Amino acid sequence: MLLDETATGVFTIAATPFLPDGTLDLDSLDRMVAFYEEKGATGLTILGMMGEAGKLSEKESRIVIDRVVTRASVPVIVGVSAPGLAALKALADAAMDREAAGVMVAPPGHLRTDDQITGYFQMVAETLGETPWVLQDFPLVTGVQMTAKVCRAIFDACPTCVMLKHEDWPGLDKITTLRRQEAAGARRVSILCGNGGQFLLEEMIRGADGAMTGFAYPEMMADVVRLMQAGDEARARDLFDAYLPLIRYESQPGLGLAIRKHILARRGAIAHATVRRPGPALTPETLAEVETLIARQEARLAALG
Amino acid sequence: MLLDETATGVFTIAATPFLPDGTLDLDSLDRMVAFYEEKGATGLTILGMMGEAGKLSEKESRIVIDRVVTRASVPVIVGVSAPGLAALKALADAAMDREAAGVMVAPPGHLRTDDQITGYFQMVAETLGETPWVLQDFPLVTGVQMTAKVCRAIFDACPTCVMLKHEDWPGLDKITTLRRQEAAGARRVSILCGNGGQFLLEEMIRGADGAMTGFAYPEMMADVVRLMQAGDEARARDLFDAYLPLIRYESQPGLGLAIRKHILARRGAIAHATVRRPGPALTPETLAEVETLIARQEARLAALG
Amino acid sequence: MLLDETATGVFTIAATPFLPDGTLDLDSLDRMVAFYEEKGATGLTILGMMGEAGKLSEKESRIVIDRVVTRASVPVIVGVSAPGLAALKALADAAMDREAAGVMVAPPGHLRTDDQITGYFQMVAETLGETPWVLQDFPLVTGVQMTAKVCRAIFDACPTCVMLKHEDWPGLDKITTLRRQEAAGARRVSILCGNGGQFLLEEMIRGADGAMTGFAYPEMMADVVRLMQAGDEARARDLFDAYLPLIRYESQPGLGLAIRKHILARRGAIAHATVRRPGPALTPETLAEVETLIARQEARLAALG
Amino acid sequence: MLLDETATGVFTIAATPFLPDGTLDLDSLDRMVAFYEEKGATGLTILGMMGEAGKLSEKESRIVIDRVVTRASVPVIVGVSAPGLAALKALADAAMDREAAGVMVAPPGHLRTDDQITGYFQMVAETLGETPWVLQDFPLVTGVQMTAKVCRAIFDACPTCVMLKHEDWPGLDKITTLRRQEAAGARRVSILCGNGGQFLLEEMIRGADGAMTGFAYPEMMADVVRLMQAGDEARARDLFDAYLPLIRYESQPGLGLAIRKHILARRGAIAHATVRRPGPALTPETLAEVETLIARQEARLAALG
């Protein structure tokens, strides 16, 4: 089951669970996969930034791929961004051999000009051969700014690029522009959105197909996407607003991952909130703030019915 | 009335209103000052990034200073960040001659090491003489990261630095650290927070004295600060949450300024939403999203009573 | 006498001389202008980065413009880069009112995509009206990377852009590409090169019209350009190589300006080597190294005859 | 034979040779190791930036380590910089198992504050255990600026850090400062310098122990270091100056690697000049310029005797 441009719903960005000593926690990995599916994920994305991919050795990356693909009943996308094409290719091959649905690639941070960016992704596409892949557009972290024109040049040059992970900020008008290009005849791609879900409502209005991010309550994203696709915007907004104070709190760069792992552990999805070094530790003040936000969130959800 | 470390409440970051042809709109400037004060501002900050300071000529900057200081009945802080100390000094002198309360300085983007940063601000303090000043800590835009240790080194070396404009992200633990240093004997500074108000609740819990940001509904900030200072956290949270969907939407970098000017014009605070070139234009989709957010916000506020 | 695309030779990037207390040294400014002309400058560029433009107040900038244009018998280009178009326009007007030959503009550091860059310079051209201007391409300092394609798009969109200050690194192939475009029918622009003269020989081979940089021995640049234009490459190389150890030493970023001012003072072109704060101080070790390099340079030049 | 603070001479930064199709060229690797030793290398550094380390898969990296360590009769340092500590550790273990002399680590590009930098390297040192390592200070490429104070803090905190690869620019005063700290009682470290050898003369005067860079004529570095250590500065300068035009030409970022491989192939050290994608191709103009520079260099060396 290979990824294609019809992908929709919620591809949760999966965390990578560790034991307190920093080694991989494979039992938690299994439990977490089940948790995400139970909460409505239509796909999983592993070894992304939130998955602490950069902190794993190549061997560990392969173990995670193997385990998740084996356990998941939904399509799995594997982040394979690497400083060079050889490492990218090696990881992509490992993923596709294990029957992943596709891979995801972010641009290396030194790319600046339009031609550098499109040139890079053409090499990526050649390197990947027939493997379907996701273009990750996350300028806040990569420092690489891709206009809608550049994204489209990549889609045109690379038929195997079937999805945009949209995480530009601001980026709503980019979705509108891409969908207009398609209305005018350009090839359709799936657009799933990141940014912690902060703009999910407006992203759906602009034409996104769903979410690809790691908010610790994936059911919010699944419900909002479903309601928006069903035309029930009012209900989608009520639900979204109920979660928003926590979405906002999780959106703190760097800290967000630690908060999400804390909440995933609190919800029983993983055994330990361990973040691999170097990574932030949550202060008692932060933990208290999270508790307050969760308590109020639960009250609002109860009131919504 | 000079700025000192007891400053509290809401120092609204003021927009700079323009006529449709891009020239200064001084009538709107007057009206906007009145609007901000009416909505609870305890101070004003002009010629900040949101005030499009970088797009004004030196002459225009002086006109804005003159006009606002003349009309305002609250203290006025003037942003004087400049590539060099001579221009910074010239603008600061113009501000203080007009009886501004103090000035605000952000670090130039090339500063990297701790010593470069503290060294720069020591030169700033020498240059400013007795003028009280605000340290602006906004790494998302300046690219300069100042730890709590570096901030404290600046406070220690520069007695005229009386306030931190806190806009680090994540930055809540920095407030806690600074307040702990003070509890252990360090000199107190006023801490007013930015980031569009997105973390105002938690910032107050951590020990901030209020807000310094440009959210288009300054009354939200005034009310939240007042309620938190009065100990009514539950009510403060209800109010904050009612505004949060719009706070979030305004937080889009670059676009946020145009959205704020649009809302200020919509509320009658200024005549035109004009942003000087180069600046973003709001698409019909964006305008529609803002309308929806305002309508829902008004409904929530009505429900709160 | 307005700047146009036939400009050739050496437009020396002029320093701004200061007295030991940091105030403008106008007598030295006069002497320095005479010195540059005597050493073969066919033009002068003032208020560039090496001119410490960012450290001057607007008033001081006007004084420098006035003085240099009055004293110089060669065309004067004025650097007018500014965070916003209003300040850029104000300074450009001041320059052209004083009969400068044209102005020079570098891109603000936040520009990334091709469209952002060309869009910015189209606004600059509109703002400047009929004033001829120089496109400054200096990615090491600005962080903005412009391909030959983007430069050409700017030349095509802006007939008033008559010169490229070429300072990309590596940038030799860019010159070749631009000259090929012109051989194929594109509009010719003057190309003067920077980078402290480190690649002047190869730049001339590739088709440059001369140099625009601040090496403290402008006669080297004048002679090399003259010899290359006269077809005497062997002699040009001998001369260039004789100066190269010092060219290299001056090329140290940040420090280079202080070294150049030291040598200019040593040569009697200015009275004091003062660099405005914040700026580097030269250590005794550095001064000794410069002396050795100059002594060996003089010996080599004597040997060359 | 483990690396320690007495290391001196020239640790050549080794290229990684590829066949025209981009696969590893192990025969050339052998020949290149012999070439470097023949030309006076007292050590080798492999898998650095010039070694295209980022473009190798983990498996290829291990093959290169194995081959070079087996063939070399001088100590071998292995670059192990990686986005995370697990990959760094895996590669370092592979290197030390094969009897490398030590490893080299550059800071990840997101580090900014002094505490972040020292904290990172303390984790590195803990991760590496007893393995001796080299601190790589190359801000032009990494974007991370380390003051002499920060370097010293790292040396103090990490006894296993025995060498600084010095590549700051400007960086001469940093060497002087570090050596003064040692004269005042701080622990000595070996300092080998990079930057393509452009400042080797002055670096030796300031107290460096030699060079660690990839200039295609390693004999220049070996001779200059030997002559400087023997006190024959005049002869060292004559030799250095004879090579300087080419040193300068090789110093072009990005392009330099391709030029070096071209010259290494021309000298018979490797079979093919292939650079792995993405990498620059040399134009005919560039190749012609290199030929001219080599011809003049040979003439100057012949004249020197």
Side-chain angles (χ1 to χ4, degrees):
Chain A
M1 190 174 55
L2 291 179
L3 191 71
D4 66 28
E5 72 285 351
T6 64
T8 183
V10 178
F11 278 61
T12 309
I13 298 276
T16 302
F18 299 107
L19 293 171
D21 68 359
T23 54
L24 285 177
D25 176 0
L26 297 178
D27 288 342
S28 283
L29 196 56
D30 294 347
R31 212 190 314 168
M32 188 187 67
V33 167
F35 171 86
Y36 285 147
E37 295 191 358
E38 203 181 291
K39 299 301 180 190
T42 58
L44 292 176
T45 303
I46 61 173
L47 302 185
M49 294 170 193
M50 188 193 143
E52 299 174 71
K55 298 182 193 161
L56 303 185
S57 70
E58 195 186 19
K59 193 175 157 194
E60 291 170 327
S61 298
R62 288 166 187 269
I63 292 171
V64 169
I65 293 170
D66 190 34
R67 193 79 171 216
V68 172
V69 173
T70 305
R71 304 290 294 216
S73 54
V74 294
V76 177
I77 297 172
V78 179
V80 296
S81 305
L85 298 173
L88 181 152
K89 168 87 173 143
L91 200 56
D93 284 350
M96 300 313 289
D97 286 351
R98 288 299 177 177
E99 308 204 326
V103 300
M104 182 163 75
V105 186
H110 62 270
L111 300 181
R112 282 291 170 273
T113 71
D114 290 5
D115 288 346
Q116 285 171 346
I117 300 169
T118 50
Y120 177 77
F121 282 108
Q122 278 179 276
M123 279 190 296
V124 166
E126 279 173 43
T127 302
L128 291 176
E130 301 193 352
T131 299
W133 59 280
V134 180
L135 174 63
Q136 186 173 11
D137 181 16
F138 194 8
L140 182 68
V141 165
T142 63
V144 179
Q145 291 185 23
M146 301 190 255
T147 57
K149 192 164 75 174
V150 164
C151 292
R152 182 54 60 189
I154 295 167
F155 303 147
D156 284 349
C158 312
T160 49
C161 179
V162 297
M163 183 188 284
L164 175 70
K165 178 175 182 195
H166 170 278
E167 202 151 11
D168 203 350
W169 179 51
L172 295 171
D173 288 331
K174 186 186 275 187
I175 302 175
T176 301
T177 302
L178 291 170
R179 289 308 188 211
R180 279 202 189 128
Q181 293 168 345
E182 296 170 357
R187 177 170 72 88
R188 191 184 196 282
V189 295
S190 172
I191 300 178
L192 299 186
C193 299
N195 273 321
Q198 284 183 88
F199 298 95
L200 183 53
L201 225 359
E202 288 85 3
E203 288 157 351
M204 294 303 295
I205 293 175
R206 300 296 187 106
D209 297 299
M212 187 193 285
T213 191
F215 182 55
Y217 291 81
E219 58 266 45
M220 177 282 287
M221 302 188 282
D223 288 345
V224 166
V225 170
R226 184 181 43 76
L227 288 163
M228 288 299 293
Q229 287 174 339
D232 191 353
E233 184 182 318
R235 174 80 187 168
R237 283 189 183 270
D238 288 343
L239 203 70
F240 178 79
D241 289 351
Y243 285 98
L244 186 54
L246 187 59
I247 293 174
R248 163 202 65 115
Y249 198 83
E250 271 195 9
S251 76
Q252 299 178 78
L255 213 53
L257 165 65
I259 297 170
R260 284 174 186 170
K261 284 191 135 177
H262 169 75
I263 297 177
L264 288 174
R266 193 185 178 282
R267 300 189 78 189
I270 59 178
H272 310 280
T274 317
V275 173
R276 257 202 186 168
R277 297 190 317 163
L282 299 183
T283 60
E285 288 81 4
T286 300
L287 294 174
E289 285 159 2
V290 170
E291 285 308 305
T292 307
L293 291 168
I294 291 175
R296 286 179 56 94
Q297 177 174 293
E298 286 172 356
R300 276 192 304 269
L301 289 171
L304 275 183
Chain B
M1 191 172 57
L2 292 177
L3 191 71
D4 67 27
E5 72 287 352
T6 63
T8 182
V10 179
F11 278 61
T12 308
I13 299 275
T16 301
F18 298 107
L19 294 171
D21 68 359
T23 54
L24 284 177
D25 176 359
L26 297 179
D27 288 342
S28 283
L29 196 57
D30 293 345
R31 212 189 315 168
M32 188 188 68
V33 167
F35 171 85
Y36 284 148
E37 294 191 0
E38 202 181 293
K39 298 299 182 192
T42 58
L44 292 177
T45 302
I46 61 173
L47 302 185
M49 293 169 192
M50 188 193 144
E52 298 174 72
K55 297 182 194 162
L56 303 185
S57 69
E58 194 186 21
K59 194 175 155 194
E60 291 171 326
S61 297
R62 287 166 188 268
I63 292 170
V64 169
I65 293 170
D66 190 34
R67 191 81 172 214
V68 171
V69 172
T70 305
R71 305 289 296 214
S73 55
V74 295
V76 177
I77 297 172
V78 178
V80 297
S81 304
L85 297 173
L88 181 151
K89 168 87 173 144
L91 199 57
D93 285 349
M96 299 313 289
D97 286 351
R98 289 298 177 179
E99 307 204 328
V103 300
M104 183 163 74
V105 185
H110 62 270
L111 300 180
R112 282 289 170 276
T113 71
D114 290 4
D115 289 346
Q116 285 171 346
I117 299 168
T118 51
Y120 177 76
F121 282 108
Q122 278 179 277
M123 279 191 295
V124 165
E126 280 173 42
T127 301
L128 291 175
E130 302 194 351
T131 299
W133 58 281
V134 181
L135 175 63
Q136 186 174 11
D137 181 17
F138 193 9
L140 181 67
V141 165
T142 63
V144 179
Q145 292 185 24
M146 300 190 256
T147 58
K149 191 165 76 174
V150 164
C151 292
R152 182 54 62 191
I154 294 168
F155 302 147
D156 284 349
C158 312
T160 48
C161 180
V162 297
M163 183 187 285
L164 176 70
K165 178 174 181 195
H166 170 277
E167 203 151 11
D168 202 352
W169 179 52
L172 295 171
D173 288 331
K174 186 186 277 187
I175 301 175
T176 300
T177 303
L178 290 170
R179 288 307 186 212
R180 279 201 189 128
Q181 293 167 345
E182 295 169 0
R187 177 170 72 88
R188 191 185 197 281
V189 295
S190 171
I191 300 177
L192 300 186
C193 298
N195 272 323
Q198 283 183 90
F199 298 96
L200 183 52
L201 224 359
E202 287 86 2
E203 287 157 352
M204 294 303 296
I205 294 175
R206 299 298 186 105
D209 297 298
M212 187 192 287
T213 191
F215 183 53
Y217 292 80
E219 59 266 44
M220 177 282 286
M221 302 188 282
D223 288 346
V224 166
V225 169
R226 185 181 43 77
L227 288 164
M228 289 300 292
Q229 286 174 340
D232 191 354
E233 183 182 318
R235 173 79 186 168
R237 284 189 183 270
D238 288 343
L239 203 69
F240 177 80
D241 289 351
Y243 285 98
L244 186 54
L246 187 59
I247 293 174
R248 162 201 68 113
Y249 198 82
E250 270 195 10
S251 76
Q252 299 177 78
L255 213 54
L257 165 65
I259 297 170
R260 284 175 187 170
K261 284 191 136 178
H262 170 74
I263 298 177
L264 288 173
R266 192 185 180 283
R267 301 189 76 190
I270 58 178
H272 309 281
T274 317
V275 174
R276 258 203 185 166
R277 298 189 316 163
L282 300 182
T283 59
E285 288 81 4
T286 299
L287 294 174
E289 285 159 5
V290 170
E291 285 308 306
T292 306
L293 291 168
I294 291 175
R296 286 179 56 95
Q297 178 173 291
E298 285 171 357
R300 276 192 303 268
L301 289 171
L304 274 184
Chain C
M1 191 173 55
L2 291 178
L3 191 71
D4 66 28
E5 72 285 354
T6 65
T8 182
V10 178
F11 278 61
T12 308
I13 299 274
T16 301
F18 299 107
L19 293 171
D21 67 359
T23 53
L24 284 177
D25 176 359
L26 297 180
D27 289 341
S28 284
L29 195 57
D30 293 346
R31 212 190 314 168
M32 187 188 68
V33 167
F35 172 86
Y36 285 148
E37 295 192 358
E38 203 180 291
K39 299 300 182 191
T42 58
L44 293 176
T45 303
I46 60 173
L47 302 185
M49 293 169 193
M50 187 193 145
E52 299 174 70
K55 297 181 193 162
L56 304 185
S57 70
E58 194 186 20
K59 193 176 156 194
E60 291 170 326
S61 297
R62 288 166 187 267
I63 292 171
V64 169
I65 294 170
D66 190 34
R67 191 81 170 213
V68 172
V69 172
T70 304
R71 304 289 295 215
S73 54
V74 295
V76 177
I77 297 172
V78 179
V80 297
S81 304
L85 297 173
L88 182 152
K89 168 85 172 145
L91 199 56
D93 285 350
M96 300 314 288
D97 286 350
R98 289 299 177 175
E99 307 205 325
V103 301
M104 183 163 76
V105 186
H110 62 270
L111 299 180
R112 283 289 170 276
T113 71
D114 290 4
D115 288 346
Q116 285 170 346
I117 299 169
T118 51
Y120 177 76
F121 282 107
Q122 278 179 275
M123 279 190 295
V124 165
E126 279 173 43
T127 302
L128 292 176
E130 302 193 352
T131 299
W133 59 280
V134 181
L135 175 63
Q136 186 173 11
D137 180 17
F138 194 9
L140 182 69
V141 165
T142 62
V144 179
Q145 291 185 24
M146 302 190 254
T147 58
K149 191 164 77 175
V150 163
C151 292
R152 182 55 61 190
I154 295 168
F155 302 147
D156 284 348
C158 312
T160 50
C161 180
V162 296
M163 185 188 283
L164 175 70
K165 180 180 179 191
H166 169 276
E167 203 152 12
D168 202 350
W169 180 51
L172 295 172
D173 288 332
K174 187 187 277 188
I175 301 176
T176 300
T177 303
L178 291 170
R179 288 307 186 212
R180 279 202 188 127
Q181 293 167 345
E182 295 171 0
R187 179 170 70 90
R188 190 184 196 282
V189 295
S190 172
I191 301 178
L192 299 186
C193 298
N195 273 323
Q198 283 185 90
F199 297 95
L200 183 53
L201 225 359
E202 287 85 4
E203 287 157 352
M204 293 304 296
I205 294 174
R206 301 297 186 105
D209 297 299
M212 188 192 285
T213 190
F215 182 53
Y217 291 81
E219 58 267 44
M220 177 281 287
M221 302 188 282
D223 288 345
V224 167
V225 169
R226 184 180 44 77
L227 288 164
M228 289 299 293
Q229 287 174 339
D232 191 352
E233 183 181 318
R235 173 82 186 168
R237 283 191 183 269
D238 288 343
L239 204 71
F240 178 79
D241 289 352
Y243 284 99
L244 186 55
L246 187 58
I247 293 174
R248 162 202 67 113
Y249 198 81
E250 270 194 9
S251 76
Q252 298 177 77
L255 213 52
L257 166 65
I259 297 170
R260 285 175 185 170
K261 285 192 136 178
H262 169 75
I263 298 177
L264 288 173
R266 193 184 178 284
R267 300 189 77 190
I270 60 178
H272 308 282
T274 318
V275 174
R276 259 202 185 169
R277 297 189 317 163
L282 299 183
T283 60
E285 288 79 6
T286 299
L287 294 174
E289 285 159 3
V290 169
E291 286 309 306
T292 305
L293 291 169
I294 290 175
R296 286 178 56 94
Q297 177 173 293
E298 286 171 356
R300 275 191 305 267
L301 289 171
L304 274 183
Chain D
M1 190 174 53
L2 291 179
L3 190 71
D4 66 27
E5 72 286 352
T6 65
T8 181
V10 179
F11 279 61
T12 308
I13 300 275
T16 302
F18 298 107
L19 294 170
D21 68 358
T23 54
L24 285 176
D25 176 1
L26 297 180
D27 288 341
S28 284
L29 196 57
D30 293 346
R31 212 190 313 168
M32 189 187 67
V33 168
F35 171 87
Y36 285 147
E37 295 191 358
E38 203 181 291
K39 298 300 181 189
T42 58
L44 292 176
T45 303
I46 60 173
L47 302 185
M49 294 169 192
M50 187 194 144
E52 299 174 68
K55 298 180 193 163
L56 304 185
S57 70
E58 193 184 21
K59 192 175 158 195
E60 291 171 325
S61 298
R62 289 167 186 267
I63 292 171
V64 169
I65 294 170
D66 190 33
R67 191 80 171 216
V68 172
V69 173
T70 304
R71 304 289 296 214
S73 55
V74 295
V76 177
I77 297 172
V78 179
V80 297
S81 305
L85 297 173
L88 183 152
K89 168 87 173 143
L91 199 56
D93 285 350
M96 300 313 289
D97 286 352
R98 289 299 177 175
E99 307 205 328
V103 300
M104 183 164 75
V105 186
H110 63 269
L111 300 180
R112 283 288 170 274
T113 72
D114 290 5
D115 289 347
Q116 285 171 346
I117 299 168
T118 51
Y120 176 77
F121 282 108
Q122 278 180 276
M123 278 190 296
V124 165
E126 279 173 43
T127 301
L128 291 176
E130 302 193 352
T131 299
W133 58 280
V134 181
L135 174 63
Q136 186 174 12
D137 181 16
F138 194 9
L140 182 69
V141 165
T142 62
V144 179
Q145 292 185 23
M146 301 191 254
T147 58
K149 192 165 76 176
V150 164
C151 292
R152 181 56 59 190
I154 295 167
F155 303 147
D156 284 349
C158 311
T160 49
C161 180
V162 297
M163 183 188 285
L164 175 70
K165 179 178 179 192
H166 169 276
E167 203 152 11
D168 203 349
W169 180 50
L172 295 172
D173 288 331
K174 186 185 276 186
I175 302 175
T176 300
T177 302
L178 291 170
R179 289 307 186 212
R180 279 203 189 125
Q181 293 167 346
E182 295 170 359
R187 178 169 70 89
R188 191 183 196 283
V189 295
S190 172
I191 301 179
L192 299 187
C193 298
N195 273 322
Q198 282 184 90
F199 297 96
L200 182 53
L201 225 358
E202 288 85 4
E203 288 157 353
M204 292 304 295
I205 293 175
R206 300 298 186 103
D209 296 300
M212 186 192 286
T213 189
F215 182 54
Y217 291 81
E219 58 266 46
M220 177 281 288
M221 302 188 282
D223 288 344
V224 167
V225 170
R226 183 180 45 77
L227 288 163
M228 289 298 293
Q229 287 174 341
D232 191 353
E233 184 182 317
R235 173 82 187 166
R237 283 190 184 270
D238 288 343
L239 204 71
F240 178 78
D241 290 351
Y243 285 98
L244 186 54
L246 187 60
I247 293 174
R248 163 202 66 115
Y249 199 82
E250 271 194 9
S251 76
Q252 300 178 76
L255 213 52
L257 166 65
I259 297 170
R260 285 176 185 168
K261 284 191 137 179
H262 169 74
I263 298 177
L264 288 173
R266 194 185 178 281
R267 301 189 77 189
I270 59 178
H272 309 281
T274 317
V275 174
R276 257 201 186 169
R277 299 189 316 164
L282 300 183
T283 60
E285 288 80 5
T286 298
L287 294 175
E289 285 159 3
V290 169
E291 285 308 305
T292 306
L293 291 168
I294 290 176
R296 285 179 57 94
Q297 177 173 292
E298 286 171 356
R300 275 191 304 268
L301 290 171
L304 274 183

